Amino acid sequence: MARSIKNTIVTAKVEATVGVDALPTGAENAVLVSDVSITPLEAQAIGRNLIRGYFGGSEQLVGPSSVKISYTVELAGSGTAGTPPAWGQLLQGCAVAEGVLATPARVEYMPVSTGLKSLTQYYYDDGVLHKALASMGNCTLSAKVGDRPVLRFEWTALDGGVAAVPNVTPTLTAWKKPVAMTKANVVDVTFGATYAAGALTGGTTYNSTGLELNFGNTVNFTPMLGTETVDITDRESTATLEMELTAEQEVALMADVKANLTKSVALTIGTVAGNKIIVFAPAAQLTNPRKSELNGKRLIGYDLRLVPVNGNDEWRIVVL
């Protein structure tokens, strides 16, 4: 009988001990995904290169191998301010700490360099279960006009085995509907604002097509004779945006580019408590200015290098 890609279920849970199966369930840990894919065995092929008196290849040996998984989830709040959203657990597998704070009630996500966490992920492919242990990954936040805000994940994991088992039944009620990226639902890209306790103050807002933020994690699978590990060993966070600028604004920002200046950048998605998200970077360096067009309008695009100020603070995602 034919199997269907629509009959895919992913579950994920933070591991208490790295590489030890955390046993994610459909009832508690199901992930609402789109654009999902898996490389169930990314193996190093070991050639034998045998010479046997005639032409022809030799079978290869399967060397060290890992699992690769990618998918997209929607960026929305939990519905209640101060309650972590369903995707918060996924961010913790990307070298990110989750903090639940009061006054006002909010959840903040910021990068970390120590105490990293890993996930166990179960990938049910219409009757075939792939177990991915010690999962660590990279994430890209995309919030572009005319689209839904999303988080795109790319995971590397240890192979926890494969088995023919029925799909679990997922409970997806924790996953809430995002707002559409429209004028009514956002406060557009703002340079020069200050963030404190769940609020942005000051700054200049620019007309843009939205923002993409790449965490920039370096994720490595390292096989050795005694161990196999997945590690995040570095991070260089970047972003991209395109804006409609006046002539004076374009000239002023070009001067900032040439002077290697940094400035804060922020974007607010949503207007209602329980589904409002602030993306904030305190020190963004604009680089690589470029010109583009949208329906005949001149736009100016930039790459942004998001650099730490005091360490592990190059960006934060605040859920209110």
Side-chain angles (χ1 to χ4, degrees):
M1 180 180 295
R3 293 157 61 204
S4 172
I5 184 63
K6 285 286 189 176
N7 293 333
T8 299
I9 296 168
V10 176
T11 64
K13 184 178 180 181
V14 172
E15 294 172 341
T17 303
V18 175
V20 176
D21 195 335
L23 304 174
T25 67
E28 298 292 334
N29 311 113
V31 182
L32 183 59
V33 298
S34 58
D35 307 319
V36 63
S37 69
I38 185 171
T39 302
L41 195 70
E42 184 165 280
Q44 174 185 332
I46 301 173
R48 297 178 68 199
N49 302 319
L50 301 177
I51 298 174
R52 297 169 293 192
Y54 47 84
F55 290 174
S58 309
E59 69 271 20
Q60 296 177 327
L61 304 179
V62 177
S65 58
S66 61
V67 178
K68 295 292 183 70
I69 297 173
S70 66
Y71 50 72
T72 297
V73 306
E74 294 176 326
L75 182 66
S78 66
T80 303
T83 298
W87 43 264
Q89 191 157 223
L90 302 178
L91 285 195
Q92 292 181 61
C94 297
V96 176
E98 178 182 81
V100 179
L101 303 169
T103 317
R106 65 194 188 278
V107 185
E108 297 197 0
Y109 296 92
M110 295 182 66
V112 292
S113 301
T114 59
L116 308 189
K117 297 182 179 180
S118 59
L119 307 181
T120 292
Q121 301 197 60
Y122 284 8
Y123 188 109
Y124 294 87
D125 184 17
D126 198 359
V128 175
L129 168 60
H130 301 271
K131 293 186 178 182
L133 307 181
S135 303
M136 289 189 171
N138 186 48
C139 178
T140 299
L141 184 157
S142 179
K144 304 289 287 184
V145 64
D147 207 341
R148 53 182 184 151
V150 297
L151 299 167
R152 300 191 183 103
F153 291 94
E154 296 180 345
W155 302 99
T156 300
L158 303 181
D159 178 16
V162 58
V165 299
N167 284 9
V168 294
T169 300
T171 299
L172 298 168
T173 52
W175 295 87
K176 304 304 181 183
K177 186 184 301 182
V179 300
M181 290 295 297
T182 64
K183 177 178 179 293
N185 292 330
V186 305
V187 176
D188 211 341
V189 168
T190 303
F191 284 135
T194 300
Y195 172 82
L200 295 169
T201 55
T204 302
T205 300
Y206 293 82
N207 196 24
S208 82
T209 61
L211 179 74
E212 284 201 349
L213 164 62
N214 187 331
F215 291 11
N217 291 337
T218 301
V219 186
N220 295 306
F221 167 62
T222 305
M224 300 183 70
L225 293 180
T227 60
E228 290 183 338
T229 61
V230 177
D231 306 285
I232 296 175
T233 57
D234 200 4
R235 175 181 62 246
E236 289 192 11
S237 299
T238 59
T240 60
L241 54 76
E242 289 185 322
M243 299 179 290
E244 184 180 29
L245 302 175
T246 66
E248 291 76 15
Q249 287 172 330
E250 180 183 353
V251 170
L253 288 178
M254 181 66 80
D256 291 346
V257 172
K258 292 180 177 180
N260 307 310
L261 296 182
T262 64
K263 59 183 66 186
S264 70
V265 60
L267 176 69
T268 303
I269 304 166
T271 60
V272 178
N275 199 13
K276 181 179 178 181
I277 297 168
I278 296 173
V279 182
F280 178 75
Q285 180 188 7
L286 275 66
T287 65
N288 302 326
R290 55 191 174 273
K291 293 178 184 282
S292 60
E293 65 88 24
L294 177 64
N295 295 335
K297 285 190 173 185
R298 169 61 69 209
L299 299 182
I300 309 299
Y302 300 90
D303 295 332
L304 282 69
R305 292 184 60 82
L306 309 182
V307 297
V309 177
N310 297 307
N312 299 309
D313 60 354
E314 55 261 54
W315 52 263
R316 74 176 70 208
I317 300 169
V318 184
V319 186
L320 295 154

